[in-house]
Amino acid sequence: MPERCPWPGDDPDEIAYHDLDWGVPTRNESILFEALTLEGAQAGLSWHTILLRREGYRRAFLDWNVDLVAEMDEASVDVLVQDAGIIRHRAKIESTITNARATLLLRDQGMSLADVVWAYANPSSEPRDDIQSQTAESRDVARTETPRV
């Protein structure tokens, strides 16, 4: 097993996330959609708070099936803001649905969510010990205008 970063500490949930998910390259749409959704939900909260609700998110957002999430409507949002298994912030819930619809628009344009995410990846495969919370690439992707849905 590779050396573990110090941030998971002794917490079993964070250790499992670190060892099985964090930094594992993928082009799988559902996995990328989950990661982007959970990162957005984490805004203003601790990552541990999100990890504790990860299974609730999987259930609420239909096991990250982008096609099904894109079909959610205002009534779905009304139900989800009552769901204690997720962060019940209406705008964060609505953004997940909007992002699912944007993912479908990408498909319609012959692209994928993976194409967009990986377009900003640093191609260097050199190990890094200077992990940063922001990079030029992360700032660029944050500024990228998404299609209106």
Side-chain angles (χ1 to χ4, degrees):
M1 173 184 287
E3 186 176 329
R4 186 175 290 136
C5 302
W7 61 260
D10 295 328
D11 183 271
D13 295 321
E14 296 207 21
I15 289 170
Y17 177 75
H18 177 280
D19 293 354
L20 302 174
D21 297 299
W22 188 73
V24 176
T26 185
R27 293 188 67 82
N28 179 286
E29 182 179 79
S30 294
I31 293 171
L32 291 172
F33 186 65
E34 175 187 23
L36 292 171
T37 299
L38 296 180
E39 289 288 340
Q42 189 255 334
L45 303 169
S46 75
W47 182 244
H48 190 74
T49 298
I50 301 304
L51 277 182
L52 292 175
R53 289 171 176 79
R54 191 174 188 190
E55 289 307 314
Y57 272 95
R58 283 188 179 139
R59 177 190 40 72
F61 291 107
L62 311 166
D63 205 26
W64 304 112
N65 183 316
V66 172
D67 296 280
L68 296 177
V69 174
E71 292 175 8
M72 291 179 149
D73 57 13
E74 190 65 28
S76 303
V77 174
D78 291 341
V79 169
L80 291 175
V81 295
Q82 303 301 316
D83 187 338
I86 64 173
I87 303 303
R88 297 178 285 182
H89 187 284
R90 182 173 289 274
K92 290 180 180 184
I93 293 166
E94 290 171 342
S95 74
T96 300
I97 298 165
T98 299
N99 289 339
R101 293 173 183 164
T103 300
L104 296 183
L105 286 176
L106 287 171
R107 285 187 202 161
D108 290 345
Q109 297 169 6
M111 299 183 343
S112 70
L113 181 58
D115 292 334
V116 173
V117 170
W118 283 99
Y120 292 94
N122 182 340
S124 169
S125 61
E126 295 297 316
R128 295 180 57 183
D129 59 1
D130 65 335
I131 303 299
Q132 302 167 355
S133 64
Q134 290 186 20
T135 64
E137 292 87 359
S138 71
R139 286 187 291 276
D140 285 347
V141 77
R143 278 194 293 270
T144 302
E145 189 170 320
T146 56
R148 286 278 187 216
V149 249

